[in-house]
Amino acid sequence: MERALVLGGGGVTGVAWEWGLLAGLAERGVPLAEAELVVGTSAGSMVGAQLCSGRPLEESYAAQLTPPRGEAAARFGMAAVARLVWAGARTRDEVRARARIGAMALSARTQSESSRRAVIESRLPVRDWPARRLLVTAVDARSGEFVVFDAASGVPLVDAVGASCAVPGVWPPVTIGERRYVDGGMRSPVNADLAAGSDRVVVLAPTTAAFGPMPRLSAQVAALRGQGARVVVVSPDAAARAAIGRNVLDPARRAAAARAGRAQADAVTDEVAAVWG
C-alpha cells in the first residue's frame, strides 16, 4: 500500500509553512516523512528533496526560524501575478499558455543562473537523488512541455530543484543540456495527479490558485479519488495566511509562516491521520 506526499508551491513562506506543518504532524504521531512517494513542485520540490535526504524534521523546522540575514525579499506582488495571468490566460491550450509564460521568463532581467544555483545548492543537505521515489516538476520554457524529473532522468538534483523553483520573471530559467526550464507551478501549483496509483495521498498546498487553462487541484483530487485513493488536502488556514502575507518570497515572513504551519497541525491531525493510517 503506497502512501504519497504531495508538496505544492508557495515561495519561501510556503517552504516554511510546509516544514511547520510536517513537524507539527510528526509531533502528533502522523509521520508524513515516511511516504513511499514524494511529489514536489516549486517550493515543494525544495522541501521534498530535503525531506527525502533524511535530515531530521526538527532541524529543518528550526532552520526556518533563523533570522534572514543577507536575504532580500524578491518582488512577487500583484503586478507580477498579473503578468503571469496575462501571459498564460489568453489561450485555452495549456501547453501554448505555458510557452508564453516561458517566453516572458526568458526575456526577463534577473540575477545570473550561476548565482541562483549557488543559493539552491546551499539549501540542499545532499547533492544526490534519494533512494526514495522523488518526483520534481518543471516546464520547458520554450515549448511549454511539462517535465517530471526523478533519479532516472540523469539530471542533477540541484538543477531539477532549481528548475522547479524558477519563478518566471523573478529567477532565471535553468539550463539543463540544451533546454531551459521554469517553475513546475506554471503547469499546476500542486500537480497532485502525479500521485496516481497511490492508495493514500496527503497534499500540502500553500496555494491552490490556478488561472487560464491550468489543471485545477479540485479536478486532480477528484480523479485520484475516482481511482480509489484516499486523499486529504491541507492549505493554510486564516492565521497562516495572515502570517504568510502578500509576498510569498519575503524571507522576513518565514519564521511566522513556519510557526503558523506548526500551530495549524493541531486542527488537521485527525483528518490527515485518517488518510495516512
Side-chain angles (χ1 to χ4, degrees), residues 2 10 20 33 51 55 60 81 88 107 173-174 188 221 232-233 241-242 254:
E2 182 176 77
L51 188 72
R55 185 186 189 188
S60 295
V81 172
S107 64
V174 172
S188 161
V221 169
V232 61
V233 177
R241 291 194 299 273
R254 189 168 54 208

Side-chain angles (χ1 to χ4, degrees), residues 5-224:
L5 174 61
V6 179
L7 301 165
V12 296
T13 54
V15 168
W17 175 80
E18 288 179 354
W19 279 124
L21 198 57
L22 288 165
L25 287 168
E27 183 180 35
R28 292 163 176 79
V30 187
L32 297 184
E34 294 179 357
E36 287 79 29
L37 168 66
V38 177
V39 178
T41 291
S42 196
S45 72
M46 177 67 72
V47 175
Q50 293 174 331
L51 188 72
C52 291
S53 74
R55 185 186 189 188
L57 264 177
E58 288 297 332
E59 186 176 320
S60 295
Y61 172 73
Q64 303 305 308
L65 306 181
T66 59
R69 296 187 181 90
E71 295 182 64
R75 291 193 171 190
F76 193 64
M78 295 305 297
V81 172
R83 286 195 295 271
L84 287 180
V85 172
W86 174 249
R90 291 180 291 159
T91 174
R92 295 182 179 179
D93 184 321
E94 61 178 279
V95 177
R96 184 176 297 176
R98 294 195 295 265
R100 286 177 172 170
I101 292 172
M104 183 193 76
L106 290 167
S107 64
R109 296 180 63 181
T110 64
Q111 69 181 100
S112 68
E113 276 193 65
S114 59
S115 61
R116 179 60 180 164
R117 189 182 194 278
V119 171
I120 298 295
E121 192 169 31
S122 71
R123 294 176 180 170
L124 291 178
V126 296
R127 304 290 180 266
D128 298 324
W129 285 88
R132 197 180 334 176
R133 191 172 175 223
L134 170 66
L135 305 181
V136 174
T137 68
V139 168
D140 185 304
R142 292 193 172 89
S143 70
E145 176 191 355
F146 179 57
V147 178
V148 181
F149 299 117
D150 61 13
S153 63
V155 172
L157 180 61
V158 171
D159 292 329
V161 172
S164 193
C165 293
V167 180
V170 178
W171 309 123
V174 172
T175 302
I176 301 174
E178 297 181 355
R179 304 172 74 179
R180 302 191 74 193
Y181 297 92
V182 294
D183 198 318
M186 296 304 102
R187 187 262 183 172
S188 161
V190 185
N191 293 302
D193 54 329
L194 294 182
S198 297
D199 303 288
R200 298 167 182 261
V201 183
V202 173
V203 180
L204 305 188
T207 179
T208 60
F211 54 86
M214 273 187 175
R216 268 48 179 178
L217 175 59
S218 57
Q220 294 176 345
V221 169
L224 290 171

